[in-house]
Amino acid sequence: MAYGGLSRDTLDRLKAMARQYADQKPADRKARPMLHPVAGTKLVREWEGIDHCVTVRHSDFEYLGRPYKSLSSVAREITGTKWNGWVFFGLKTSQGRQ
């Protein structure tokens, strides 16, 4: 208030946002959106000189004609070790950014 308070536009925007989220539960407002590649997307990763192609499906992933619930399980199949699938396929860095 010492600097005159918020502008009229800012107050209107805050009220609009409050109306937008009023019907949501607190947990839903905090939930991050699930960032899933579009179904049909092909993810290609070279590993030990071999290109590996994974197809994104609506609820899972396909690799070598077999369904996998997660990219991590595909990465484990390819490498033989545990990997974060999003990091392995370059969709996320190991620090969580991309």
Side-chain angles (χ1 to χ4, degrees):
M1 288 300 187
Y3 297 103
L6 299 174
S7 71
R8 184 77 165 156
D9 289 341
T10 301
L11 288 171
D12 290 343
R13 177 68 180 132
L14 288 171
K15 288 176 186 175
M17 289 173 66
R19 283 190 301 272
Q20 177 183 355
Y21 295 110
D23 296 334
Q24 291 183 347
K25 298 175 191 165
D28 293 339
R29 288 193 298 262
K30 292 179 183 179
R32 295 186 334 181
M34 180 62 176
L35 301 175
H36 190 76
V38 176
T41 301
K42 304 276 187 194
L43 304 173
V44 180
R45 171 64 148 87
E46 184 271 330
W47 181 258
E48 295 186 351
I50 300 170
D51 285 340
H52 299 273
C53 182
V54 175
T55 303
V56 177
R57 301 193 311 187
H58 289 286
S59 59
D60 60 3
F61 303 91
E62 181 180 324
Y63 174 64
L64 297 178
R66 293 181 48 210
Y68 289 83
K69 291 284 185 190
S70 69
L71 284 176
S72 296
S73 59
V74 176
R76 188 169 33 258
E77 178 73 23
I78 293 169
T79 66
T81 60
K82 286 189 175 184
W83 271 84
N84 177 306
W86 294 88
V87 172
F88 182 78
F89 285 98
L91 300 173
K92 178 176 118 176
T93 65
S94 58
Q95 288 81 30
R97 289 178 255 129
Q98 184 90 347

Coordinates of all heavy atoms in Angstrom, one line a residue:
M1 N 0.8 -1.2 0.0 CA 0.0 0.0 0.0 C 0.9 1.3 0.0 O 0.4 2.3 -0.5 CB -0.9 0.0 1.2 CG -2.0 -1.0 1.1 SD -3.0 -0.6 -0.4 CE -4.3 -1.7 -0.3
A2 N 2.1 1.2 0.5 CA 3.0 2.3 0.6 C 3.2 2.9 -0.8 O 3.5 4.0 -1.0 CB 4.3 2.0 1.3
Y3 N 3.1 2.0 -1.8 CA 3.4 2.4 -3.2 C 2.2 2.6 -4.0 O 2.2 2.6 -5.3 CB 4.4 1.4 -3.9 CG 5.7 1.4 -3.2 CD1 6.0 0.3 -2.4 CD2 6.7 2.4 -3.4 CE1 7.2 0.3 -1.7 CE2 7.9 2.3 -2.8 CZ 8.2 1.3 -1.9 OH 9.4 1.2 -1.3
G4 N 1.0 2.6 -3.4 CA -0.2 2.9 -4.1 C -1.1 1.6 -4.4 O -2.1 1.7 -5.0
G5 N -0.6 0.5 -4.0 CA -1.4 -0.8 -4.1 C -1.3 -1.3 -5.6 O -0.4 -0.8 -6.4
L6 N -2.1 -2.3 -5.9 CA -2.1 -2.9 -7.2 C -2.9 -2.1 -8.2 O -3.9 -1.5 -7.8 CB -2.6 -4.3 -7.1 CG -1.8 -5.3 -6.2 CD1 -2.6 -6.6 -6.1 CD2 -0.4 -5.5 -6.7
S7 N -2.5 -2.2 -9.5 CA -3.3 -1.4 -10.5 C -4.6 -2.1 -10.7 O -4.8 -3.3 -10.3 CB -2.5 -1.4 -11.8 OG -2.4 -2.7 -12.4
R8 N -5.5 -1.4 -11.3 CA -6.8 -1.9 -11.6 C -6.8 -3.2 -12.5 O -7.5 -4.2 -12.3 CB -7.7 -0.8 -12.3 CG -9.1 -1.2 -12.6 CD -9.8 -1.1 -11.3 NE -11.2 -1.1 -11.5 CZ -12.1 -1.4 -10.6 NH1 -11.6 -1.8 -9.4 NH2 -13.3 -1.4 -10.8
D9 N -5.9 -3.1 -13.5 CA -5.7 -4.3 -14.4 C -5.2 -5.5 -13.6 O -5.7 -6.6 -13.9 CB -4.7 -4.0 -15.5 CG -5.2 -3.0 -16.6 OD1 -6.5 -2.8 -16.6 OD2 -4.4 -2.4 -17.3
T10 N -4.3 -5.3 -12.7 CA -3.8 -6.4 -11.9 C -4.9 -7.0 -11.0 O -5.0 -8.2 -10.9 CB -2.6 -6.0 -11.1 OG1 -1.6 -5.5 -12.0 CG2 -2.0 -7.1 -10.3
L11 N -5.6 -6.1 -10.4 CA -6.7 -6.6 -9.6 C -7.8 -7.4 -10.4 O -8.2 -8.5 -9.9 CB -7.4 -5.4 -8.9 CG -6.6 -4.8 -7.7 CD1 -7.3 -3.5 -7.3 CD2 -6.4 -5.8 -6.6
D12 N -8.1 -6.9 -11.6 CA -9.0 -7.6 -12.4 C -8.5 -9.0 -12.8 O -9.2 -10.0 -12.9 CB -9.4 -6.8 -13.7 CG -10.2 -5.6 -13.4 OD1 -10.8 -5.5 -12.3 OD2 -10.2 -4.7 -14.2
R13 N -7.2 -9.0 -13.1 CA -6.6 -10.3 -13.5 C -6.6 -11.3 -12.4 O -6.9 -12.5 -12.5 CB -5.1 -10.0 -14.0 CG -4.4 -11.3 -14.4 CD -4.9 -11.9 -15.6 NE -4.2 -13.1 -15.9 CZ -4.7 -14.3 -16.2 NH1 -6.0 -14.4 -16.3 NH2 -3.9 -15.3 -16.5
L14 N -6.3 -10.8 -11.2 CA -6.3 -11.7 -10.0 C -7.7 -12.2 -9.7 O -7.9 -13.4 -9.4 CB -5.7 -11.0 -8.8 CG -4.2 -10.7 -8.8 CD1 -3.9 -9.8 -7.6 CD2 -3.5 -12.0 -8.7
K15 N -8.7 -11.4 -9.9 CA -10.1 -11.8 -9.7 C -10.5 -12.9 -10.7 O -11.1 -13.9 -10.4 CB -11.0 -10.7 -9.7 CG -10.9 -9.8 -8.5 CD -11.9 -8.5 -8.6 CE -11.6 -7.6 -7.5 NZ -12.4 -6.3 -7.6
A16 N -10.0 -12.7 -12.0 CA -10.3 -13.7 -13.0 C -9.7 -15.0 -12.7 O -10.3 -16.1 -12.9 CB -9.9 -13.1 -14.4
M17 N -8.4 -15.0 -12.2 CA -7.7 -16.2 -11.9 C -8.4 -16.9 -10.7 O -8.5 -18.1 -10.7 CB -6.3 -15.9 -11.6 CG -5.5 -15.5 -12.8 SD -3.8 -14.9 -12.3 CE -3.1 -16.4 -11.7
A18 N -8.9 -16.1 -9.7 CA -9.6 -16.7 -8.6 C -10.8 -17.4 -9.0 O -11.1 -18.5 -8.6 CB -9.9 -15.6 -7.6
R19 N -11.6 -16.8 -9.9 CA -12.8 -17.5 -10.5 C -12.4 -18.7 -11.2 O -13.1 -19.7 -11.1 CB -13.6 -16.5 -11.4 CG -14.3 -15.4 -10.6 CD -15.3 -14.7 -11.6 NE -14.6 -14.0 -12.7 CZ -14.1 -12.8 -12.6 NH1 -14.1 -12.1 -11.5 NH2 -13.4 -12.3 -13.7
Q20 N -11.4 -18.7 -12.0 CA -10.9 -19.8 -12.8 C -10.6 -21.1 -11.9 O -10.9 -22.2 -12.3 CB -9.7 -19.5 -13.6 CG -9.1 -20.6 -14.4 CD -7.9 -20.2 -15.2 OE1 -7.5 -19.0 -15.2 NE2 -7.3 -21.1 -15.8
Y21 N -10.0 -20.8 -10.8 CA -9.6 -21.9 -9.9 C -10.5 -22.2 -8.7 O -10.2 -23.1 -8.0 CB -8.1 -21.6 -9.4 CG -7.1 -21.6 -10.5 CD1 -6.5 -20.5 -10.9 CD2 -6.8 -22.8 -11.2 CE1 -5.6 -20.4 -11.9 CE2 -5.9 -22.8 -12.2 CZ -5.3 -21.6 -12.6 OH -4.3 -21.6 -13.6
A22 N -11.6 -21.4 -8.6 CA -12.4 -21.6 -7.4 C -13.1 -23.0 -7.3 O -13.3 -23.5 -6.2 CB -13.5 -20.5 -7.5
D23 N -13.4 -23.6 -8.4 CA -14.0 -24.9 -8.4 C -13.0 -26.1 -8.2 O -13.5 -27.2 -8.1 CB -14.8 -25.1 -9.7 CG -16.0 -24.1 -9.8 OD1 -16.4 -23.6 -8.7 OD2 -16.4 -23.9 -10.9
Q24 N -11.8 -25.8 -8.2 CA -10.8 -26.9 -8.1 C -10.4 -27.2 -6.7 O -10.3 -26.2 -5.9 CB -9.5 -26.6 -8.9 CG -9.7 -26.5 -10.4 CD -8.5 -26.3 -11.2 OE1 -7.5 -25.9 -10.6 NE2 -8.5 -26.5 -12.5
K25 N -10.1 -28.4 -6.4 CA -9.5 -28.8 -5.1 C -8.1 -28.3 -5.0 O -7.4 -28.2 -6.0 CB -9.5 -30.3 -4.9 CG -10.9 -30.9 -5.0 CD -10.8 -32.4 -5.0 CE -12.1 -33.0 -5.3 NZ -12.0 -34.5 -5.6
P26 N -7.6 -28.0 -3.8 CA -6.2 -27.5 -3.6 C -5.2 -28.4 -4.3 O -4.2 -28.0 -4.9 CB -6.0 -27.4 -2.1 CG -7.4 -27.2 -1.6 CD -8.3 -28.0 -2.5
A27 N -5.4 -29.7 -4.2 CA -4.4 -30.7 -4.8 C -4.4 -30.6 -6.3 O -3.4 -30.7 -6.9 CB -4.7 -32.1 -4.3
D28 N -5.6 -30.3 -6.9 CA -5.6 -30.2 -8.3 C -5.0 -28.9 -8.8 O -4.4 -28.9 -9.9 CB -7.1 -30.2 -8.8 CG -7.8 -31.5 -8.6 OD1 -7.0 -32.5 -8.5 OD2 -9.0 -31.6 -8.5
R29 N -5.0 -27.9 -8.0 CA -4.4 -26.6 -8.4 C -2.9 -26.7 -8.4 O -2.2 -26.1 -9.1 CB -4.8 -25.5 -7.5 CG -6.2 -25.0 -7.7 CD -6.5 -23.7 -7.0 NE -6.4 -23.8 -5.5 CZ -7.4 -24.0 -4.7 NH1 -8.6 -24.1 -5.1 NH2 -7.1 -24.0 -3.4
K30 N -2.4 -27.6 -7.5 CA -0.9 -27.8 -7.4 C -0.4 -28.8 -8.3 O 0.8 -28.8 -8.6 CB -0.6 -28.2 -5.9 CG -0.8 -27.1 -4.9 CD -0.5 -27.6 -3.5 CE -0.8 -26.6 -2.5 NZ -0.5 -27.0 -1.1
A31 N -1.2 -29.6 -8.9 CA -0.8 -30.7 -9.7 C -0.1 -30.2 -11.0 O -0.6 -29.3 -11.6 CB -1.9 -31.6 -10.1
R32 N 1.0 -30.7 -11.3 CA 1.7 -30.3 -12.5 C 1.1 -31.1 -13.7 O 0.7 -32.3 -13.5 CB 3.2 -30.7 -12.5 CG 3.9 -29.9 -11.4 CD 5.4 -30.0 -11.4 NE 5.9 -31.3 -11.9 CZ 7.1 -31.6 -11.9 NH1 8.0 -30.8 -11.5 NH2 7.5 -32.8 -12.4
P33 N 0.9 -30.5 -14.8 CA 0.4 -31.2 -16.0 C 1.3 -32.3 -16.4 O 2.5 -32.2 -16.3 CB 0.2 -30.1 -17.1 CG 1.2 -29.1 -16.7 CD 1.3 -29.1 -15.2
M34 N 0.7 -33.4 -16.8 CA 1.5 -34.6 -17.3 C 1.9 -34.2 -18.7 O 1.1 -34.1 -19.6 CB 0.6 -35.8 -17.3 CG 1.3 -37.0 -17.7 SD 2.7 -37.4 -16.7 CE 3.3 -38.9 -17.3
L35 N 3.2 -34.1 -18.9 CA 3.8 -33.8 -20.2 C 4.1 -35.1 -20.9 O 5.2 -35.7 -20.6 CB 5.0 -32.9 -20.0 CG 4.7 -31.6 -19.3 CD1 6.0 -30.8 -19.2 CD2 3.7 -30.8 -20.1
H36 N 3.3 -35.6 -21.7 CA 3.4 -36.9 -22.4 C 3.5 -36.6 -23.9 O 2.7 -35.8 -24.4 CB 2.2 -37.8 -22.1 CG 2.4 -39.2 -22.5 ND1 3.1 -40.1 -21.8 CD2 1.8 -39.8 -23.6 CE1 3.1 -41.2 -22.5 NE2 2.3 -41.1 -23.5
P37 N 4.5 -37.1 -24.6 CA 4.6 -36.9 -26.0 C 3.3 -37.3 -26.7 O 2.6 -38.2 -26.2 CB 5.7 -37.7 -26.5 CG 6.5 -38.0 -25.2 CD 5.6 -38.0 -24.1
V38 N 3.0 -36.7 -27.8 CA 1.7 -37.0 -28.6 C 1.8 -38.5 -29.1 O 2.9 -38.9 -29.6 CB 1.6 -36.1 -29.8 CG1 0.4 -36.4 -30.6 CG2 1.5 -34.6 -29.2
A39 N 0.7 -39.2 -29.0 CA 0.7 -40.6 -29.5 C 1.1 -40.6 -31.0 O 0.7 -39.7 -31.8 CB -0.7 -41.1 -29.4
G40 N 1.9 -41.6 -31.4 CA 2.4 -41.7 -32.7 C 3.8 -41.1 -32.9 O 4.5 -41.4 -33.9
T41 N 4.3 -40.4 -31.9 CA 5.6 -39.8 -31.9 C 6.7 -40.9 -31.9 O 6.5 -41.9 -31.1 CB 5.9 -38.8 -30.7 OG1 4.9 -37.8 -30.8 CG2 7.3 -38.3 -30.7
K42 N 7.7 -40.8 -32.7 CA 8.8 -41.8 -32.7 C 10.0 -41.2 -31.9 O 10.4 -40.1 -32.2 CB 9.2 -42.1 -34.1 CG 8.1 -42.6 -35.0 CD 7.9 -44.1 -34.8 CE 6.9 -44.6 -35.9 NZ 6.4 -45.9 -35.5
L43 N 10.4 -41.9 -30.9 CA 11.6 -41.4 -30.1 C 12.8 -42.3 -30.6 O 12.7 -43.5 -30.5 CB 11.4 -41.6 -28.6 CG 10.1 -40.9 -28.1 CD1 9.9 -41.3 -26.6 CD2 10.3 -39.4 -28.2
V44 N 13.8 -41.7 -31.0 CA 15.0 -42.4 -31.5 C 16.2 -42.1 -30.7 O 16.5 -41.0 -30.4 CB 15.3 -42.1 -33.0 CG1 16.5 -42.9 -33.5 CG2 14.1 -42.4 -33.9
R45 N 16.9 -43.2 -30.2 CA 18.1 -43.0 -29.4 C 19.1 -43.9 -29.9 O 18.9 -45.1 -30.1 CB 17.7 -43.3 -27.9 CG 18.9 -43.4 -27.0 CD 19.6 -42.0 -26.8 NE 20.2 -41.8 -25.5 CZ 21.4 -42.3 -25.1 NH1 22.1 -42.9 -25.9 NH2 21.8 -42.0 -23.9
E46 N 20.3 -43.4 -30.1 CA 21.5 -44.3 -30.5 C 22.1 -44.8 -29.2 O 22.4 -44.0 -28.3 CB 22.4 -43.4 -31.4 CG 23.6 -44.2 -31.9 CD 24.8 -44.3 -30.9 OE1 25.0 -43.3 -30.2 OE2 25.5 -45.3 -31.0
W47 N 22.4 -46.1 -29.2 CA 23.0 -46.7 -28.0 C 24.0 -47.7 -28.5 O 23.6 -48.7 -29.2 CB 22.0 -47.2 -27.0 CG 22.6 -47.8 -25.8 CD1 22.8 -49.2 -25.6 CD2 23.1 -47.2 -24.7 NE1 23.4 -49.3 -24.4 CE2 23.6 -48.1 -23.8 CE3 23.2 -45.8 -24.3 CZ2 24.2 -47.8 -22.6 CZ3 23.8 -45.5 -23.1 CH2 24.2 -46.4 -22.2
E48 N 25.3 -47.6 -28.2 CA 26.3 -48.5 -28.6 C 26.3 -48.8 -30.1 O 26.4 -49.9 -30.6 CB 26.3 -49.8 -27.8 CG 26.5 -49.5 -26.3 CD 26.6 -50.8 -25.5 OE1 26.3 -51.9 -26.0 OE2 27.0 -50.7 -24.3
G49 N 26.1 -47.7 -30.9 CA 26.1 -47.8 -32.4 C 24.8 -48.3 -33.0 O 24.8 -48.5 -34.2
I50 N 23.8 -48.5 -32.2 CA 22.5 -49.0 -32.8 C 21.4 -48.0 -32.5 O 21.3 -47.5 -31.4 CB 22.1 -50.4 -32.2 CG1 23.2 -51.4 -32.4 CG2 20.8 -50.8 -32.7 CD1 23.1 -52.7 -31.7
D51 N 20.6 -47.6 -33.5 CA 19.5 -46.8 -33.4 C 18.3 -47.6 -32.8 O 18.0 -48.6 -33.4 CB 19.1 -46.1 -34.7 CG 20.1 -45.0 -35.1 OD1 20.8 -44.5 -34.2 OD2 20.1 -44.6 -36.3
H52 N 17.7 -47.1 -31.8 CA 16.6 -47.7 -31.1 C 15.4 -46.8 -31.3 O 15.5 -45.6 -30.9 CB 16.8 -48.0 -29.7 CG 18.0 -48.9 -29.4 ND1 17.8 -50.3 -29.4 CD2 19.3 -48.7 -29.2 CE1 19.0 -50.9 -29.2 NE2 19.9 -49.9 -29.1
C53 N 14.3 -47.3 -31.8 CA 13.1 -46.5 -32.1 C 11.9 -46.9 -31.2 O 11.6 -48.1 -31.2 CB 12.7 -46.5 -33.6 SG 11.3 -45.5 -34.0
V54 N 11.3 -46.0 -30.5 CA 10.2 -46.3 -29.6 C 9.0 -45.4 -30.1 O 9.2 -44.3 -30.4 CB 10.5 -45.9 -28.1 CG1 9.3 -46.0 -27.2 CG2 11.7 -46.7 -27.6
T55 N 7.9 -46.1 -30.2 CA 6.6 -45.4 -30.6 C 5.8 -45.0 -29.4 O 5.5 -45.9 -28.6 CB 5.8 -46.2 -31.6 OG1 6.6 -46.6 -32.7 CG2 4.6 -45.5 -32.1
V56 N 5.4 -43.8 -29.3 CA 4.5 -43.4 -28.2 C 3.1 -43.7 -28.5 O 2.7 -43.4 -29.6 CB 4.6 -41.8 -27.9 CG1 3.7 -41.4 -26.8 CG2 6.1 -41.4 -27.6
R57 N 2.4 -44.4 -27.6 CA 1.0 -44.8 -27.8 C 0.2 -44.0 -26.8 O 0.8 -43.3 -25.9 CB 0.8 -46.3 -27.7 CG 1.7 -47.0 -28.8 CD 1.4 -48.4 -29.0 NE 1.3 -49.2 -27.9 CZ 1.2 -50.6 -27.9 NH1 1.1 -51.2 -29.1 NH2 1.1 -51.3 -26.8
H58 N -1.1 -44.1 -26.8 CA -2.0 -43.3 -25.9 C -1.7 -43.6 -24.5 O -1.6 -42.7 -23.7 CB -3.4 -43.6 -26.2 CG -3.9 -42.9 -27.5 ND1 -4.0 -41.6 -27.7 CD2 -4.1 -43.5 -28.7 CE1 -4.4 -41.3 -28.9 NE2 -4.4 -42.4 -29.6
S59 N -1.5 -44.9 -24.1 CA -1.3 -45.2 -22.7 C 0.0 -45.9 -22.4 O 0.2 -46.3 -21.2 CB -2.5 -46.0 -22.2 OG -2.6 -47.2 -23.0
D60 N 0.8 -46.2 -23.4 CA 2.1 -46.8 -23.2 C 3.0 -46.5 -24.3 O 2.8 -45.6 -25.1 CB 1.9 -48.3 -23.0 CG 1.2 -49.0 -24.2 OD1 1.0 -48.4 -25.2 OD2 1.0 -50.3 -24.1
F61 N 4.1 -47.3 -24.4 CA 5.1 -47.2 -25.4 C 5.3 -48.5 -26.1 O 5.2 -49.6 -25.5 CB 6.4 -46.7 -24.8 CG 6.2 -45.4 -24.0 CD1 5.9 -45.4 -22.7 CD2 6.4 -44.2 -24.7 CE1 5.8 -44.3 -22.0 CE2 6.2 -43.0 -24.0 CZ 5.9 -43.0 -22.6
E62 N 5.7 -48.5 -27.4 CA 6.0 -49.7 -28.1 C 7.5 -49.7 -28.5 O 8.0 -48.8 -29.1 CB 5.1 -49.8 -29.3 CG 5.3 -51.1 -30.1 CD 4.4 -51.2 -31.3 OE1 3.3 -50.8 -31.2 OE2 4.9 -51.7 -32.4
Y63 N 8.2 -50.8 -28.3 CA 9.5 -51.0 -28.7 C 9.7 -52.5 -29.2 O 9.3 -53.4 -28.5 CB 10.5 -50.7 -27.5 CG 11.9 -51.0 -27.8 CD1 12.6 -50.3 -28.8 CD2 12.6 -52.0 -27.1 CE1 14.0 -50.6 -29.0 CE2 13.9 -52.3 -27.4 CZ 14.6 -51.6 -28.4 OH 15.9 -51.9 -28.6
L64 N 10.2 -52.6 -30.4 CA 10.4 -53.9 -31.0 C 9.1 -54.7 -31.0 O 9.1 -55.9 -30.8 CB 11.5 -54.7 -30.4 CG 12.9 -54.1 -30.4 CD1 13.9 -54.9 -29.7 CD2 13.3 -53.8 -31.9
G65 N 8.0 -54.0 -31.2 CA 6.7 -54.7 -31.3 C 6.1 -55.1 -30.0 O 5.0 -55.7 -29.9
R66 N 6.7 -54.8 -28.9 CA 6.2 -55.1 -27.5 C 5.8 -53.9 -26.8 O 6.5 -52.8 -26.9 CB 7.3 -55.8 -26.7 CG 7.7 -57.2 -27.3 CD 8.7 -57.9 -26.5 NE 8.4 -57.9 -25.0 CZ 9.4 -57.9 -24.1 NH1 10.6 -57.9 -24.4 NH2 9.0 -57.9 -22.8
P67 N 4.7 -53.9 -26.0 CA 4.3 -52.8 -25.2 C 5.1 -52.6 -23.9 O 5.5 -53.6 -23.3 CB 2.8 -53.1 -24.9 CG 2.7 -54.6 -24.9 CD 3.8 -55.0 -25.9
Y68 N 5.4 -51.4 -23.5 CA 6.0 -51.1 -22.3 C 5.3 -50.0 -21.6 O 4.8 -49.0 -22.2 CB 7.5 -50.6 -22.5 CG 8.4 -51.7 -23.0 CD1 8.4 -52.1 -24.4 CD2 9.2 -52.4 -22.1 CE1 9.3 -53.1 -24.8 CE2 10.1 -53.4 -22.6 CZ 10.1 -53.7 -23.9 OH 10.9 -54.7 -24.3
K69 N 5.1 -50.1 -20.3 CA 4.4 -49.1 -19.5 C 5.1 -47.8 -19.4 O 4.5 -46.7 -19.2 CB 4.0 -49.7 -18.1 CG 3.0 -50.8 -18.1 CD 1.7 -50.2 -18.3 CE 0.7 -51.4 -18.2 NZ -0.7 -50.9 -18.6
S70 N 6.4 -47.8 -19.4 CA 7.2 -46.6 -19.2 C 8.4 -46.5 -20.1 O 8.9 -47.6 -20.6 CB 7.7 -46.5 -17.7 OG 8.6 -47.5 -17.5
L71 N 8.9 -45.3 -20.3 CA 10.2 -45.2 -21.0 C 11.3 -45.7 -20.2 O 12.3 -46.2 -20.8 CB 10.4 -43.7 -21.3 CG 9.6 -43.1 -22.4 CD1 9.8 -41.6 -22.6 CD2 9.8 -43.8 -23.8
S72 N 11.3 -45.7 -18.9 CA 12.3 -46.3 -18.1 C 12.5 -47.8 -18.4 O 13.6 -48.3 -18.4 CB 12.1 -46.0 -16.6 OG 12.1 -44.6 -16.4
S73 N 11.4 -48.5 -18.5 CA 11.5 -49.9 -18.8 C 12.0 -50.2 -20.2 O 12.8 -51.1 -20.4 CB 10.1 -50.6 -18.6 OG 9.1 -50.0 -19.5
V74 N 11.8 -49.3 -21.1 CA 12.4 -49.4 -22.5 C 13.9 -49.2 -22.4 O 14.7 -49.9 -22.9 CB 11.7 -48.5 -23.5 CG1 12.4 -48.6 -24.8 CG2 10.3 -48.7 -23.6
A75 N 14.3 -48.1 -21.6 CA 15.7 -47.8 -21.5 C 16.4 -48.9 -20.8 O 17.6 -49.3 -21.2 CB 15.8 -46.5 -20.7
R76 N 15.8 -49.6 -19.8 CA 16.4 -50.7 -19.1 C 16.6 -51.9 -20.1 O 17.6 -52.6 -20.0 CB 15.6 -51.1 -17.9 CG 16.2 -52.1 -17.0 CD 15.5 -52.3 -15.7 NE 14.0 -52.1 -15.6 CZ 13.4 -51.0 -15.2 NH1 14.1 -50.0 -14.7 NH2 12.1 -51.0 -15.2
E77 N 15.6 -52.1 -20.9 CA 15.7 -53.2 -21.9 C 16.9 -52.9 -22.9 O 17.6 -53.9 -23.2 CB 14.4 -53.3 -22.7 CG 14.3 -54.3 -23.8 CD 14.2 -55.7 -23.3 OE1 13.8 -55.9 -22.1 OE2 14.6 -56.6 -24.0
I78 N 17.0 -51.7 -23.3 CA 18.1 -51.4 -24.2 C 19.5 -51.4 -23.6 O 20.4 -52.0 -24.2 CB 17.9 -49.9 -24.8 CG1 16.6 -49.9 -25.7 CG2 19.1 -49.4 -25.6 CD1 16.1 -48.6 -26.1
T79 N 19.6 -50.9 -22.4 CA 20.9 -50.7 -21.8 C 21.3 -51.8 -20.8 O 22.5 -52.0 -20.5 CB 21.0 -49.4 -21.0 OG1 20.1 -49.4 -19.9 CG2 20.7 -48.2 -21.9
G80 N 20.3 -52.5 -20.2 CA 20.6 -53.5 -19.2 C 20.8 -52.9 -17.8 O 21.1 -53.6 -16.9
T81 N 20.6 -51.6 -17.7 CA 20.8 -50.9 -16.4 C 19.6 -50.0 -16.2 O 18.9 -49.6 -17.1 CB 22.1 -50.1 -16.3 OG1 22.1 -49.1 -17.3 CG2 23.3 -51.0 -16.4
K82 N 19.4 -49.5 -14.9 CA 18.3 -48.6 -14.6 C 18.7 -47.2 -15.2 O 19.8 -46.7 -15.0 CB 18.1 -48.5 -13.1 CG 17.4 -49.7 -12.6 CD 17.0 -49.5 -11.2 CE 16.2 -50.7 -10.7 NZ 15.7 -50.5 -9.3
W83 N 17.7 -46.6 -15.8 CA 17.8 -45.3 -16.4 C 16.5 -44.6 -16.1 O 15.4 -45.2 -16.1 CB 18.0 -45.3 -17.9 CG 19.4 -45.4 -18.4 CD1 20.2 -46.5 -18.5 CD2 20.2 -44.3 -18.8 NE1 21.4 -46.1 -19.0 CE2 21.4 -44.8 -19.2 CE3 20.0 -42.9 -18.9 CZ2 22.4 -44.0 -19.7 CZ3 21.0 -42.1 -19.4 CH2 22.2 -42.6 -19.8
N84 N 16.5 -43.3 -16.0 CA 15.3 -42.5 -16.1 C 15.0 -42.4 -17.6 O 15.8 -41.9 -18.4 CB 15.5 -41.1 -15.5 CG 14.3 -40.2 -15.7 OD1 13.7 -40.0 -16.8 ND2 13.8 -39.6 -14.6
G85 N 13.8 -42.9 -18.0 CA 13.5 -43.0 -19.5 C 13.4 -41.6 -20.1 O 13.8 -41.5 -21.3
W86 N 12.9 -40.6 -19.4 CA 12.8 -39.3 -20.0 C 14.2 -38.7 -20.2 O 14.4 -38.1 -21.3 CB 12.0 -38.4 -19.0 CG 10.6 -38.8 -18.9 CD1 10.1 -39.8 -18.0 CD2 9.5 -38.5 -19.7 NE1 8.7 -39.9 -18.2 CE2 8.3 -39.1 -19.3 CE3 9.3 -37.6 -20.8 CZ2 7.1 -39.0 -19.8 CZ3 8.1 -37.4 -21.4 CH2 7.0 -38.1 -20.9
V87 N 15.1 -39.0 -19.3 CA 16.5 -38.5 -19.5 C 17.2 -39.3 -20.7 O 17.8 -38.7 -21.5 CB 17.3 -38.6 -18.2 CG1 18.8 -38.3 -18.5 CG2 16.7 -37.7 -17.1
F88 N 17.0 -40.6 -20.7 CA 17.6 -41.5 -21.7 C 17.2 -41.0 -23.1 O 18.1 -41.0 -24.0 CB 17.3 -42.9 -21.4 CG 17.9 -43.9 -22.4 CD1 19.2 -44.3 -22.3 CD2 17.2 -44.4 -23.5 CE1 19.8 -45.1 -23.2 CE2 17.8 -45.3 -24.4 CZ 19.1 -45.6 -24.2
F89 N 16.0 -40.7 -23.3 CA 15.5 -40.3 -24.6 C 15.6 -38.8 -24.9 O 15.1 -38.3 -25.9 CB 14.1 -40.8 -24.9 CG 14.1 -42.3 -25.1 CD1 13.8 -43.2 -24.1 CD2 14.4 -42.8 -26.4 CE1 13.7 -44.6 -24.3 CE2 14.4 -44.2 -26.6 CZ 14.1 -45.1 -25.6
G90 N 16.2 -38.1 -24.0 CA 16.4 -36.7 -24.2 C 15.2 -35.8 -24.0 O 15.2 -34.6 -24.5
L91 N 14.2 -36.3 -23.4 CA 13.0 -35.4 -23.1 C 13.1 -34.6 -21.9 O 12.3 -33.7 -21.6 CB 11.8 -36.4 -23.0 CG 11.5 -37.2 -24.2 CD1 10.3 -38.2 -23.9 CD2 11.1 -36.3 -25.4
K92 N 14.1 -34.9 -21.0 CA 14.4 -34.2 -19.8 C 15.8 -34.3 -19.5 O 16.4 -35.4 -19.7 CB 13.5 -34.8 -18.7 CG 13.7 -34.1 -17.3 CD 12.7 -34.8 -16.4 CE 13.4 -35.5 -15.3 NZ 12.5 -36.0 -14.3
T93 N 16.4 -33.3 -18.9 CA 17.8 -33.4 -18.5 C 17.8 -34.0 -17.1 O 16.8 -34.1 -16.4 CB 18.5 -32.0 -18.4 OG1 17.9 -31.2 -17.4 CG2 18.5 -31.3 -19.8
S94 N 19.0 -34.4 -16.7 CA 19.1 -35.1 -15.4 C 18.8 -34.1 -14.2 O 18.5 -34.5 -13.1 CB 20.5 -35.7 -15.2 OG 21.5 -34.7 -15.3
Q95 N 18.9 -32.8 -14.5 CA 18.5 -31.7 -13.5 C 17.0 -31.4 -13.6 O 16.6 -30.6 -12.8 CB 19.3 -30.4 -13.7 CG 20.8 -30.6 -13.4 CD 21.6 -31.2 -14.5 OE1 21.3 -31.1 -15.7 NE2 22.6 -31.9 -14.1
G96 N 16.3 -32.0 -14.5 CA 14.8 -31.8 -14.5 C 14.4 -30.7 -15.5 O 13.2 -30.4 -15.5
R97 N 15.3 -30.2 -16.2 CA 14.9 -29.1 -17.2 C 15.0 -29.6 -18.6 O 15.7 -30.5 -18.9 CB 15.9 -27.9 -17.0 CG 15.8 -27.2 -15.8 CD 16.8 -26.1 -15.7 NE 17.8 -26.5 -14.7 CZ 19.1 -26.5 -15.0 NH1 19.6 -26.1 -16.1 NH2 20.0 -27.0 -14.1
Q98 N 14.2 -29.0 -19.5 CA 14.2 -29.2 -20.9 C 13.1 -28.5 -21.6 O 12.1 -28.3 -21.2 CB 14.1 -30.7 -21.3 CG 14.2 -31.0 -22.7 CD 15.7 -31.2 -23.2 OE1 16.6 -31.0 -22.5 NE2 15.8 -31.6 -24.4

